[in-house]
Amino acid sequence: MVAMWIMDMMLKVTWVMTTVGFAVLLSDYLRLQRQQCTETTGVQNTGKQAAERPPKLPDGDYVQHGSSVWCWGHNNTDRMCKFSNLCFSPQHQQFVFFHGEQTVTHGIHNRFHPALVDMTSIPDHNTQYFQYVDLPISALQDFKKVKIYQGTSLIFNRFNPDNLMHVFHDDLLPIYFTLRQITASDVDPFNLNSRLVIMEGWRPGEFVDLYQMLSTEDLVFKQELGNLGELVCFSNAYVGLSKATTWYQYGFKVPQGPKDNIAVTARDIRQFTDFVCTRLGIEETGVSESKYIVLFSRRLNRLIVNEVDLTIALASEFNMRVVTLSMESHTVPQQIAIIRKASMVVGMHGSFLTLAMFLPPGAVVVELFPYAVNPEHYVPYRTLANLPGMRLTYAAWRNIEPQNTITHPDNPWDLGGIAHLNPAEQDAILRSTEVPRHLCCRNPEWLFRIYQDTVVDIPSFLKTVRKAVTDAEANKQGNGGTSSSDDDYKKIYPGPPVDFSCQSVQSSDGLVGLQLSWQPPWNLPYLDAKDTKYEVWIQEQGEVSYMPWILPFTSHVFSEGIEAEHDYNVWVRCIVNDTVVGPFADAVQCST
């Protein structure tokens, strides 16, 4: 009996284990089936594990609903565009826009007049236009290998990546402010995760690291796209650069000079330079510690022949150390770190002087010009120094002695040579005493003169620098260490007056008037308001003219020009410190 009982128990245990094992196997089988089904159909679970492991789709499937575009601006010179699924064909060297059921096209009017967008911050340059080719979504099947760049991409052209002026003015500043515009969030005003896609086709160049500091993603160059597939698509792309931070035009349509309607201010420049210094690991500095002069030295052309004498003269005259910088001896980050603490920079006209944007407020910029080159005609660095709030003092020195210049007529044409010209043209250039105004970019007389070497006349040069230093000190003392132009870019405006009331009153002698009262703008306590006034406009309804008044108080009885049984419109606005004018409050209707 005992043996039979043991045998029965063993059979029951075996059955239970077999049943449990089968259940486990069945559970595993069903789980694997569900997983395979999910991966096959693309159905996603809502659980945490599913969110961490989304299904993988073929790259081409991301574009299957088509491309879309949203643009803002009136034409190519002031327009920027955001694209979804914008593609590029390396074979055809053109961007491609796929039209599908979900396609949106907004703001692309005048797309071909002459282009949709400028690829650079240089407006309306005919080598920098952006266009795309239209294809139906059915054409996507003809591209067998599709590479998708997820995330945000900024697509643009560098204008001249071998020249520091162009690098900073045309590219880096506009890229920085464009990225701030399109990537700012509640967490951070600047997102370094955006990808820079550089499409002009130039080699990366010696300043490529300056572009890389604007993104933690690897730079993407046009010439690399052919290795990625038959089609390269950008899931979220912006095309074009902001032009709001540029201050100079290079003379493509009219002779070069400051651009019209300059909007950039010192605040914009300082925000950018602070960002650059942070990214390059350059520490902050105080203005009071600026006790040396920087001399930009050119080693290949446009030389200061007596540079050693000039250095000694500067050091002796101003009792300061003179630091000589050149592209051969210092990297750009090293130059920026030194300039950031300098009290003065001196240099021959050239792109080095763009780095004056890193000078502390109160510093001096002295620009030298070769013989026959008029400083009034070439002013990119003077314009920079004079931007509102920069608080830099600018001075120009010009060689007016022909015996102090060394010309190079046998140079290649792009370095100032004139041997390729006929004898009459050469003779005219050699006899000329001033380069006439001209367009960019191959004027032979301009190139001949700008690539001269110069023996600087020390006495006249020091006279120019002394005056600049005196002007800089006067500016500091006269404005209490600030510049009047600071007010132009740091204005905080008062809001409209509030709690407006009016009522008809009559004096003892029968005169009718309007008693008006209001309260100051609610943000007035936050302003540095040393003086507050109010401007009042009173207009009889149906009339065009109005009576203006300026008052230092918030209540007054107006009787001049006021008649009984008439209706009037009244506006009031606040004026702070005589120059900061706020908006009018909504018009109020008053009756007598």
Side-chain angles (χ1 to χ4, degrees):
M1 289 293 292
V2 173
M4 292 181 63
W5 179 82
I6 293 174
M7 180 65 70
D8 183 59
M9 289 299 296
M10 290 178 64
L11 289 172
K12 289 181 179 179
V13 169
T14 302
W15 179 84
V16 170
M17 292 179 64
T18 302
T19 303
V20 171
F22 176 76
V24 170
L25 290 173
L26 179 61
S27 175
D28 287 345
Y29 172 77
L30 292 175
R31 178 176 57 80
L32 290 172
Q33 283 291 94
R34 286 195 300 269
Q35 181 177 342
Q36 183 178 3
C37 181
T38 300
E39 292 177 350
T40 302
T41 62
V43 176
Q44 297 187 29
N45 295 324
T46 58
K48 180 178 179 181
Q49 184 176 5
E52 292 175 348
R53 298 179 61 186
K56 293 184 178 180
L57 298 174
D59 277 343
D61 289 353
Y62 286 106
V63 195
Q64 63 185 341
H65 295 300
S67 309
S68 289
V69 57
W70 298 264
C71 297
W72 54 97
H74 298 89
N75 53 49
N76 60 294
T77 63
D78 66 357
R79 182 183 285 146
M80 281 194 64
C81 293
K82 177 186 185 302
F83 286 87
S84 173
N85 297 329
L86 176 67
C87 300
F88 182 78
S89 167
Q91 177 185 354
H92 301 287
Q93 292 290 290
Q94 290 179 318
F95 284 96
V96 179
F97 188 97
F98 288 100
H99 290 263
E101 293 183 358
Q102 301 298 319
T103 289
V104 174
T105 56
H106 178 77
I108 62 172
H109 51 279
N110 300 325
R111 172 183 160 192
F112 303 116
H113 301 284
L116 181 63
V117 180
D118 291 337
M119 291 283 282
T120 76
S121 66
I122 307 301
D124 204 30
H125 194 289
N126 59 13
T127 66
Q128 306 295 329
Y129 291 154
F130 170 84
Q131 294 286 12
Y132 57 77
V133 173
D134 298 282
L135 285 179
I137 194 61
S138 58
L140 182 61
Q141 63 185 350
D142 294 333
F143 297 90
K144 305 306 180 186
K145 184 179 179 183
V146 180
K147 165 66 178 177
I148 302 290
Y149 277 110
Q150 297 291 338
T152 299
S153 299
L154 177 62
I155 300 174
F156 64 95
N157 287 351
R158 298 174 300 174
F159 191 70
N160 184 356
D162 292 330
N163 179 287
L164 270 183
M165 170 67 182
H166 290 289
V167 167
F168 276 94
H169 175 270
D170 308 346
D171 298 343
L172 298 181
L173 253 171
I175 293 169
Y176 172 76
F177 276 90
T178 301
L179 288 176
R180 286 198 66 175
Q181 177 182 348
I182 65 179
T183 68
S185 67
D186 294 336
V187 178
D188 197 327
F190 190 91
N191 185 351
L192 287 168
N193 295 328
S194 300
R195 179 182 298 103
L196 302 185
V197 183
I198 301 172
M199 293 297 296
E200 83 288 329
W202 290 46
R203 62 185 179 85
E206 62 180 312
F207 303 124
V208 66
D209 289 345
L210 297 177
Y211 294 85
Q212 185 63 75
M213 73 179 173
L214 290 159
S215 175
T216 54
E217 297 288 327
D218 290 340
L219 301 177
V220 177
F221 290 91
K222 178 181 180 180
Q223 50 269 40
E224 300 170 356
L225 299 182
N227 301 324
L228 301 178
E230 297 177 17
L231 196 68
V232 180
C233 298
F234 303 91
S235 64
N236 182 41
Y238 292 83
V239 179
L241 296 177
S242 169
K243 299 177 175 67
T245 57
T246 59
W247 64 83
Y248 206 70
Q249 58 84 17
Y250 299 115
F252 297 114
K253 296 182 179 179
V254 296
Q256 66 170 276
K259 62 179 277 190
D260 295 333
N261 304 315
I262 296 174
V264 64
T265 67
R267 174 179 292 175
D268 304 320
I269 300 294
R270 304 287 187 211
Q271 288 174 354
F272 168 72
T273 56
D274 288 346
F275 168 84
V276 171
C277 290
T278 298
R279 292 288 289 159
L280 296 179
I282 299 171
E283 63 183 13
E284 292 291 328
T285 181
V287 176
S288 61
E289 299 171 357
S290 305
K291 294 297 183 183
Y292 55 82
I293 299 170
V294 167
L295 175 64
F296 288 125
S297 175
R298 299 179 67 98
R299 303 291 174 84
L300 300 178
N301 50 53
R302 214 177 303 170
L303 306 178
I304 299 174
V305 177
N306 56 336
E307 184 178 294
V308 174
D309 295 336
L310 186 71
T311 302
I312 294 172
L314 279 170
S316 176
E317 177 72 24
F318 298 102
N319 194 28
M320 287 188 191
R321 182 165 56 102
V322 178
V323 179
T324 301
L325 300 181
S326 72
M327 293 303 297
E328 291 78 11
S329 62
H330 295 78
T331 65
V332 172
Q334 289 171 339
Q335 293 181 57
I336 291 173
I338 294 171
I339 292 167
R340 198 160 170 80
K341 299 181 181 180
S343 59
M344 182 191 306
V345 295
V346 178
M348 191 64 69
H349 174 80
S351 63
F352 284 157
L353 288 170
T354 308
L355 299 181
M357 68 172 63
F358 291 92
L359 282 169
V364 174
V365 180
V366 182
E367 184 175 9
L368 285 67
F369 288 85
Y371 178 74
V373 179
N374 189 339
E376 296 299 317
H377 296 171
Y378 311 95
V379 294
Y381 314 113
R382 183 177 73 181
T383 306
L384 167 63
N386 291 336
L387 289 176
M390 284 299 288
R391 292 171 53 200
L392 300 177
T393 300
Y394 173 89
W397 176 88
R398 175 184 182 182
N399 176 27
I400 59 174
E401 302 294 341
Q403 67 271 19
N404 286 346
T405 190
I406 300 172
T407 62
H408 302 281
D410 296 324
N411 272 1
W413 72 266
D414 57 337
L415 294 177
I418 57 174
H420 63 290
L421 302 176
N422 65 55
E425 290 176 308
Q426 294 184 44
D427 184 63
I429 290 174
L430 291 171
R431 288 188 293 105
S432 174
T433 59
E434 182 172 308
V435 178
R437 299 297 296 268
H438 57 89
L439 298 181
C440 187
C441 297
R442 298 190 176 192
N443 182 280
E445 186 170 350
W446 152 251
L447 292 171
F448 175 73
R449 291 302 183 185
I450 199 59
Y451 280 106
Q452 298 170 111
D453 300 330
T454 302
V455 178
V456 175
D457 179 69
I458 301 295
S460 65
F461 168 76
L462 289 179
K463 181 179 179 180
T464 298
V465 180
R466 283 192 213 102
K467 184 178 185 307
V469 171
T470 301
D471 290 345
E473 289 300 322
N475 289 337
K476 292 178 185 178
Q477 296 174 6
N479 295 288
T482 64
S483 166
S484 60
S485 59
D486 288 348
D487 297 334
D488 295 333
Y489 84 99
K490 288 186 176 179
K491 284 180 180 175
I492 300 179
Y493 293 87
V498 297
D499 298 336
F500 191 93
S501 67
C502 68
Q503 60 180 351
S504 177
V505 296
Q506 187 172 4
S507 64
S508 58
D509 55 3
L511 289 176
V512 175
L514 286 175
Q515 182 172 353
L516 307 179
S517 63
W518 57 88
Q519 293 300 314
W522 70 268
N523 69 331
L524 192 62
Y526 298 94
L527 279 63
D528 183 18
K530 299 179 177 64
D531 178 68
T532 303
K533 295 184 177 68
Y534 296 91
E535 183 175 2
V536 181
W537 290 6
I538 302 177
Q539 178 191 58
E540 184 178 345
Q541 288 189 9
E543 299 294 329
V544 175
S545 60
Y546 58 87
M547 297 177 291
W549 308 80
I550 299 290
L551 307 172
F553 29 75
T554 60
S555 181
H556 186 67
V557 175
F558 297 85
S559 57
E560 182 179 342
I562 304 300
E563 299 180 12
E565 298 183 355
H566 280 64
D567 297 323
Y568 296 91
N569 297 320
V570 181
W571 296 266
V572 182
R573 64 180 173 185
C574 181
I575 303 174
V576 173
N577 301 334
D578 293 325
T579 60
V580 185
V581 181
F584 280 108
D586 292 339
V588 175
Q589 294 184 358
C590 302
S591 301
T592 55

